[in-house]
Amino acid sequence: MDPAAPADSIGDYLISARSLDEYRAMFALTDTDLHDRAILDCPGGAAAFAAEAAGLGARVTAVDPAYVHPADRLRDHVLAETDRGAEWLDAHADRYVWGHYGTPEHHHRVRRAAATRFAADRTAHPSRYIAAALPALPFPDNDFDLVLSSHLLFTYADRLDTDFHHAALRELLRVARGEVRVYPLVDYLGVPQDALVAELSARLAEHGVRTEHRTVTFEFHRGADTMLILRN
């Protein structure tokens, strides 16, 4: 963690490593959602989702600006980030619901395993991982059956303003021929972003975008049990 950051700040953007199991829970993904579908994971971070979902027939493209770094260097950084995230959780454990993971220690093991799987897959299948960043993606219109976005939008509302969120969501919708699913709708402190979500939903509606809130079975931050679904 950045020593200059306030005690209640996570500091720099955290590159997280999540598993397919976590993605299934966060985004209410079914086997049908994954089988023979072109899926965008943006930002992908150090998730093992692209690697693990490939075994179910999904064609996942992960996008993250961190992929500009060489695979071995990023692997070492991600493992350090995983440890940094564990330190944050240990210091703020009361803000979280541990039912999905059991204990902070198990959560840490899951994340380190996902980071290791990600690093190996990025080396073996580099074409799955594209270095780019919202709100400008290097894909044609309607390129993906399903678009997933976790732990950037709304999570970092303290530094990403409303206009950035609007531009990012419009860009995710541009490359989607199916749904866009966004999780969570709270910031990294667990504060609900209801006003921001409502304002963005209203602005998107002016462009014909339909929005839906759907409850999911996953809750890690207290109250973070809802994803936002967008359709053109």
Side-chain angles (χ1 to χ4, degrees):
M1 180 154 324
D2 179 359
D8 213 24
S9 169
I10 202 170
D12 293 339
Y13 297 97
L14 186 68
I15 302 177
S16 298
R18 292 182 172 85
S19 65
L20 171 62
D21 178 65
E22 290 170 288
Y23 270 66
R24 279 186 177 275
M26 292 189 303
F27 292 112
L29 294 173
T30 65
D31 287 347
T32 300
D33 288 326
L34 297 171
H35 180 67
D36 196 27
R37 307 287 297 284
I39 300 173
L40 175 64
D41 182 18
C42 179
F49 175 64
E52 294 181 304
L56 300 175
R59 302 182 305 280
V60 178
T61 300
V63 169
D64 199 288
Y67 302 158
V68 71
H69 299 296
D72 56 348
R73 178 181 171 190
L74 183 57
R75 178 199 60 221
D76 294 343
H77 178 65
V78 165
L79 289 172
E81 285 283 87
T82 301
D83 293 341
R84 179 165 77 92
E87 291 174 4
W88 166 267
L89 291 174
D90 286 343
H92 303 87
D94 59 318
R95 297 178 178 174
Y96 295 87
V97 178
W98 294 98
H100 186 84
Y101 302 101
T103 65
E105 292 75 20
H106 180 67
H107 174 273
H108 192 199
R109 289 195 296 271
V110 167
R111 293 293 172 84
R112 285 190 67 89
T116 301
R117 180 71 183 274
F118 155 78
D121 192 65
R122 186 172 175 235
T123 298
H125 302 282
S127 63
R128 290 178 181 160
Y129 302 91
I130 306 298
L134 289 168
L137 300 177
F139 307 112
D141 295 353
N142 307 312
D143 205 28
F144 296 96
D145 297 308
L146 178 63
V147 173
L148 308 176
S149 185
S150 77
H151 296 89
L152 175 69
L153 301 176
F154 308 114
T155 298
Y156 293 100
D158 63 335
R159 65 202 74 174
L160 300 174
D161 63 16
T162 303
D163 287 343
F164 176 88
H165 278 75
H166 182 252
L169 290 173
R170 289 292 305 276
E171 182 70 349
L172 293 173
L173 284 159
R174 181 187 68 78
V175 302
R177 55 179 172 265
E179 293 181 346
V180 175
R181 302 183 187 182
V182 182
Y183 176 90
L185 307 184
V186 305
D187 68 12
Y188 64 78
L189 296 175
V191 178
Q193 298 300 302
D194 298 345
L196 179 56
V197 172
E199 180 176 352
L200 290 166
S201 296
R203 290 177 63 175
L204 291 168
E206 296 174 358
H207 300 280
V209 176
R210 295 166 291 156
T211 59
E212 173 192 345
H213 292 222
R214 184 181 300 174
T215 301
V216 297
T217 59
F218 185 80
E219 181 184 8
F220 190 34
H221 261 114
R222 295 188 183 278
D225 61 353
T226 306
M227 69 173 167
L228 180 66
I229 300 175
L230 304 101
R231 303 180 185 91
N232 285 303

